[in-house]
């Protein structure tokens, strides 16, 4: 059960009004999403509640709008609109405790963030889509429209993916569908590192500019203005290529 504090005028529940309706969500893991089927349903918060206050290390994000049209101007039905993975932080919890230390949420209210695609619980609140999720599910802060400017959080790393080979060793040209997805790229930015038990940060050993090899099915992929990028945890990097 998600840790959410709802405040407002207390009234007797009325089944006819619906009140607070919680529908379960089912996320199909990335590596096994052969059919591409993902079923999600939002928690609808009744208008009688005037605020939603996250607890602990949770963050409330107002979700950016989905794309309603293709680049050619064709209207998309709701069922096929891409689910946004970014939004604005509108409220944060009080943080969490590590040992005897209290650690505040590092993401400020008002920040534009990118988060894991299938993380959190969706809320319909104040006529807008929101998501409540743990701070660790936030990939990074993005103040522009280009993913290359992403500032990774915690132990995450932003990598620009190497371009796929255009032809085989024998000289046969490959179509886009037949190009093998590379698992090598260049590190663009790194997070401040994970938290130690005393609340300090342990710096990552991987530096920007390094060429690395990473797990093939790890991370979250993004398309930037100058190519493809992936954000993953430092533990998903298998080797540095000198």
């Amino acid at each position: 059960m998600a840790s959410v504090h709802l405040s407002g005028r207390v009234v007797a529940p009325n089944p006819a009004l619906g009140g607070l309706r919680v529908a379960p969500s089912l996320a199909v893991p990335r590596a096994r999403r052969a059919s591409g089927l993902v079923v999600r349903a939002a928690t609808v918060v009744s208008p009688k509640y005037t605020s939603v206050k996250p607890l602990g290390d949770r963050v409330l994000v107002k979700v950016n709008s989905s794309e309603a049209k293709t680049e050619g101007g064709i209207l998309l039905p709701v069922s096929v609109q891409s689910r946004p993975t970014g939004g604005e932080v509108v409220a944060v919890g009080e943080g969490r405790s590590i040992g005897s230390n209290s650690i505040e949420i590092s993401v400020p209210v008002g920040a534009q963030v990118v988060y894991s695609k299938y993380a959190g619980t969706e809320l319909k609140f104040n006529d807008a889509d929101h998501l409540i999720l743990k701070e660790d599910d936030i990939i990074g802060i993005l103040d522009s429209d280009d993913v290359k400017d992403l500032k990774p959080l915690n132990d995450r790393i932003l990598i620009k993916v190497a371009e796929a080979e255009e032809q085989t060793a024998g000289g046969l040209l490959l179509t886009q569908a037949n190009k093998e997805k590379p698992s090598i790229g260049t590190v663009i930015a790194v997070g401040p590192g994970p938290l130690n038990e005393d609340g300090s940060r342990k710096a990552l050993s991987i530096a920007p500019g390094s060429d690395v090899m990473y797990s093939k099915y790890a991370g979250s992929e993004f398309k930037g203005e100058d190519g493809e990028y992936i954000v993953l945890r430092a533990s998903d990097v298998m080797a540095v290529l000198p």
Side-chain angles (χ1 to χ4, degrees):
M1 182 174 181
S3 298
V4 185
H5 177 72
L6 303 174
S7 62
R9 184 167 55 91
V10 178
V11 296
N14 186 340
L17 295 178
L20 183 63
R21 303 191 301 274
V22 182
S25 64
L26 170 64
V28 180
R30 177 179 177 185
R32 301 178 183 178
R33 252 176 16 249
S35 65
L37 175 63
V38 176
V39 180
R40 298 180 65 91
T43 298
V44 180
V45 179
S46 171
K48 70 180 180 181
Y49 296 108
T50 58
S51 66
V52 175
K53 178 175 174 52
L55 299 180
D57 61 344
R58 287 174 172 81
V59 175
L60 180 65
V61 176
K62 184 178 181 181
V63 178
N64 292 336
S65 300
S66 299
E67 292 293 334
K69 295 182 179 181
T70 65
E71 293 182 1
I74 300 175
L75 286 173
L76 295 171
V78 175
S79 60
V80 296
Q81 289 178 17
S82 60
R83 179 175 181 266
T85 56
E88 178 185 354
V89 175
V90 295
V92 299
E94 67 274 15
R96 59 186 173 124
S97 296
I98 298 181
S100 60
N101 299 295
S102 297
I103 309 299
E104 295 183 352
I105 300 291
S106 62
V107 182
V109 172
Q112 293 291 327
V113 297
V114 178
Y115 46 82
S116 300
K117 190 171 185 180
Y118 300 107
T121 299
E122 295 178 354
L123 303 174
K124 192 77 173 180
F125 178 65
N126 284 346
D127 296 324
D129 292 327
H130 291 74
L131 190 74
I132 188 163
L133 68 167
K134 290 191 172 185
E135 180 187 16
D136 192 52
D137 290 324
I138 296 177
I139 293 172
I141 297 175
L142 183 60
D143 295 323
S144 73
D145 294 329
D146 197 347
V147 68
K148 71 180 180 183
D149 299 323
L150 181 78
K151 299 173 184 176
L153 296 181
N154 299 318
D155 61 341
R156 288 185 170 87
I157 296 174
L158 173 66
I159 295 173
K160 184 177 182 183
V161 179
E163 294 185 5
E165 294 293 334
E166 297 289 340
Q167 58 185 25
T168 66
L172 179 64
L173 289 175
L174 296 171
T175 64
Q176 192 66 34
N178 290 329
K179 291 180 183 178
E180 183 178 355
K181 177 184 173 183
S183 54
I184 293 174
T186 302
V187 176
I188 303 300
V190 300
L195 287 168
N196 291 315
E197 292 185 0
D198 61 358
S200 63
R201 295 279 181 181
K202 181 181 180 181
L204 299 179
S205 60
I206 302 171
S210 303
D211 290 332
V212 295
M213 178 183 299
Y214 52 87
S215 300
K216 192 168 186 178
Y217 297 104
S220 300
E221 299 172 338
F222 301 92
K223 189 170 183 61
E225 295 180 359
D226 60 345
E228 294 185 358
Y229 291 79
I230 189 168
V231 181
L232 40 73
R233 294 187 182 275
S235 58
D236 291 319
V237 175
M238 298 186 293
V240 175
L241 306 175

